[in-house]
Amino acid sequence: MKLYLDPGHGGSDPGAQGNGLREKDLTLDIALKLRSILENNYNNIEVRMSRTSDVTKSLAQRTNEANSWGADFYLSIHINSDKGSASGYEDYIYISLSNNSATARYRDIIHNEVVKLNKLNNRGKKKADFHVLRESSMDAMLSENGFIDNAKDAALMKQDSWRRSVAQGHANGIAKAFNLTEKKTPDREEPASGSGQSLHKVIAGSFKDRANAEQQIADLDAKGYESFIATAQISGETWYRVQAGAFLNRENAETRVKEIESQGIEAFITTE
Ligand SMILES: [Zn+2]
């Protein structure tokens, strides 16, 4: 499927501002994270973005681009503002659409996945006559991810891990709504088969829920450790293991476990 991903505002238009934050920076960061999660984890998706840097682009340019590309879905990422008292998440589809429309059904799925991970008060599913919803010729949705002028929401926005969780929630929703197929984990650190050597893999957690494994990868990344998901079948069930290193020398694996544990993340070694 073709996703047109639109980080709101940009360039001369900062969008909402508050608590030292600008909407245009937050929407761009969330959208870039969302694109990389989708491209890294799924096969059947193509993402085009309205902007990938801090540039000015009109609303008409955005919808014209999505329409001429023939996108299947238009997703616009925004941050809300009020007068400091309102807080939370809400999303929008075009005002005249029914609750049984295809757009509404896609939105229902995405909404449910976003609110699982965003730690925000849920303000619900809404409709509005916004340009990007009205002028886009495909199903379209706009999400408002917290209020920039609310101290509690803004404190979350300042965290890279929160922005990643918001991106992950949208990714999970898109994957579910459009039946995206997961990429197979590359065997990038395996020794040549038949070498007779065993490999000591450092596993920083094993999860039933892929989203939790993704979160662990984000936490490790923030602490400077590269990791990826290696799926394991145990008693017929799929587990998402977070592999943070693989070593031919067991001592090196033990050193890595100690380093990771000193950062407050538990890890263990599997030997194959
Ligand atoms: Zn906005």
Side-chain angles (χ1 to χ4, degrees):
M1 68 84 77
K2 291 160 81 172
L3 173 67
Y4 190 82
L5 177 57
D6 175 30
H9 312 279
S12 62
D13 168 19
Q17 300 182 74
N19 291 297
L21 297 166
R22 296 182 301 192
E23 179 180 3
K24 67 173 183 175
D25 302 321
L26 298 164
T27 59
L28 179 61
D29 187 62
I30 292 166
L32 288 170
K33 285 173 160 61
L34 172 54
R35 180 179 67 171
S36 75
I37 294 167
L38 288 169
E39 289 181 345
N40 290 339
N41 293 292
Y42 300 99
N43 294 307
N44 48 335
I45 183 157
E46 206 182 326
V47 182
R48 185 173 290 190
M49 292 178 67
S50 57
R51 63 185 183 97
T52 55
S53 61
D54 186 19
V55 295
T56 306
K57 194 160 184 175
S58 71
L59 295 175
Q61 280 177 299
R62 297 175 200 232
T63 48
N64 287 344
E65 198 171 87
N67 293 346
S68 61
W69 183 43
D72 297 304
F73 195 71
Y74 190 113
L75 176 62
S76 194
I77 305 285
H78 285 254
I79 304 285
N80 227 330
S81 73
D82 188 34
K83 291 169 201 71
S85 54
S87 70
Y89 170 84
E90 61 197 23
D91 48 43
Y92 291 86
I93 58 173
Y94 185 52
I95 193 160
S96 69
L97 290 168
S98 87
N99 292 337
N100 300 317
S101 62
T103 309
R105 281 182 276 123
Y106 289 133
R107 184 262 286 277
D108 288 346
I109 296 170
I110 297 166
H111 177 98
N112 287 341
E113 295 301 319
V114 172
V115 300
K116 274 185 203 169
L117 296 184
N118 70 2
K119 300 182 190 136
L120 294 169
N121 162 35
N122 186 356
R123 297 167 60 86
K125 296 183 271 189
K126 304 188 175 184
K127 295 175 187 175
D129 184 24
F130 294 147
H131 175 101
V132 297
L133 303 178
R134 185 182 63 245
E135 302 301 327
S136 50
S137 48
M138 66 295 306
D139 301 308
M141 163 179 168
L142 182 148
S143 65
E144 292 277 6
N145 300 276
F147 283 72
I148 205 164
D149 51 2
N150 176 272
K152 193 172 117 269
D153 286 6
L156 288 172
M157 289 170 196
K158 289 177 182 172
Q159 299 171 14
D160 186 74
S161 61
W162 179 82
R163 299 191 299 273
R164 193 178 163 85
S165 294
V166 169
Q168 185 70 54
H170 284 79
N172 293 347
I174 297 273
K176 217 172 206 177
F178 295 95
N179 297 313
L180 301 185
T181 57
E182 283 181 28
K183 278 186 182 168
K184 293 255 187 301
T185 306
D187 292 337
R188 47 182 137 146
E189 292 178 72
E190 302 289 343
S193 63
S195 65
Q197 290 176 298
S198 44
L199 189 67
H200 307 286
K201 293 178 177 174
V202 175
I203 307 298
S206 191
F207 303 89
K208 291 291 302 168
D209 188 343
R210 191 179 178 106
N212 292 333
E214 297 281 1
Q215 185 59 54
Q216 184 81 316
I217 287 172
D219 291 346
L220 283 161
D221 186 53
K223 292 177 164 123
Y225 295 99
E226 257 193 57
S227 60
F228 62 92
I229 291 177
T231 53
Q233 294 293 327
I234 299 166
S235 309
E237 293 194 277
T238 301
W239 288 83
Y240 298 96
R241 286 178 164 175
V242 174
Q243 185 174 326
F247 303 89
L248 292 169
N249 180 332
R250 187 173 176 97
E251 272 177 37
N252 292 340
E254 284 167 357
T255 303
R256 173 63 57 87
V257 168
K258 281 191 199 124
E259 283 171 11
I260 289 175
E261 290 195 330
S262 75
Q263 301 284 337
I265 296 173
E266 279 187 40
F268 61 91
I269 296 171
T270 60
T271 299
E272 290 166 20

